[in-house]
Amino acid sequence: MEPDILELESFLPYRLYRLADTVSREFSRIYKERHGLTRPEWRTLSGLGQHGTMTATELGEQSAMHKTKVSRAVAELERRRWLTRTPDEKDRRVEHLALTKAGLGAYREMVPLAKAFERELLARLSVEERTAVVTGVAALEKALEEKS
């Protein structure tokens, strides 16, 4: 192979992207069928379900979503009456987002389905492979955190 040619199919960043996208699309079928949610809506719902009240900026950072995707997801979940916005008392440009009872109910319904999906995904691997994946992902995350 020529040194100035990149074999994309064996390039680790590309392989990780493809894998993450494939897994995300497979899981998205569950929340799309159940609640008609898009990926950004699911990430918003799950972020608020996990962390409670957050700002849109915090949600974007936590979920690695662009602010326009967060904004659209928030608007849709608000339209469904699954979240509320409360203006910050000190800075009116900031809103605190929280799930409503209905939003929390949808989140709680999805948690066992998400955990089952993860279990079934990992069950496709041997014990050694599962350990290697979990350890390898954690090592990459740590290495990238240290770099930034």
Side-chain angles (χ1 to χ4, degrees):
M1 184 167 111
E2 294 183 41
D4 60 341
I5 300 292
L6 175 66
E7 192 176 300
L8 199 55
E9 296 76 21
S10 62
F11 184 54
L12 183 61
Y14 180 73
R15 292 177 67 200
L16 290 172
Y17 161 76
R18 293 278 312 260
L19 177 62
D21 188 61
T22 300
V23 171
S24 183
R25 269 188 284 115
E26 198 170 312
F27 179 58
S28 75
R29 291 184 189 128
I30 296 170
Y31 54 76
K32 186 172 181 130
E33 281 177 18
R34 202 69 159 210
H35 294 291
L37 295 170
T38 63
R39 285 190 217 184
E41 290 163 5
W42 162 248
R43 289 178 186 165
T44 300
L45 180 75
S46 63
L48 291 171
Q50 178 185 358
H51 297 288
T53 302
M54 298 175 77
T55 66
T57 300
E58 292 167 337
L59 262 170
E61 290 169 0
Q62 181 264 336
S63 63
M65 285 193 295
H66 189 273
K67 62 183 178 179
T68 57
K69 287 191 182 233
V70 172
S71 179
R72 287 184 191 130
V74 166
E76 176 57 21
L77 294 178
E78 183 180 38
R79 186 193 69 73
R80 290 177 180 228
R81 296 182 175 16
W82 283 11
L83 72 72
T84 58
R85 304 176 196 230
T86 306
D88 187 275
E89 292 179 9
K90 295 178 181 141
D91 185 347
R92 296 305 231 178
R93 297 169 298 174
V94 175
E95 295 178 319
H96 299 279
L97 310 170
L99 294 180
T100 62
K101 188 175 179 179
L104 194 54
Y107 170 74
R108 287 186 176 147
E109 177 188 332
M110 288 302 303
V111 167
L113 299 174
K115 289 181 177 185
F117 175 84
E118 181 183 43
R119 272 192 312 277
E120 290 168 15
L121 181 65
L122 290 173
R124 299 175 190 180
L125 306 174
S126 69
V127 172
E128 295 80 17
E129 290 169 331
R130 281 194 298 271
T131 301
V133 166
V134 170
T135 303
V137 168
L140 276 173
E141 288 171 334
K142 184 178 179 190
L144 291 171
E145 283 174 14
E146 290 172 357
K147 186 179 178 188
S148 51

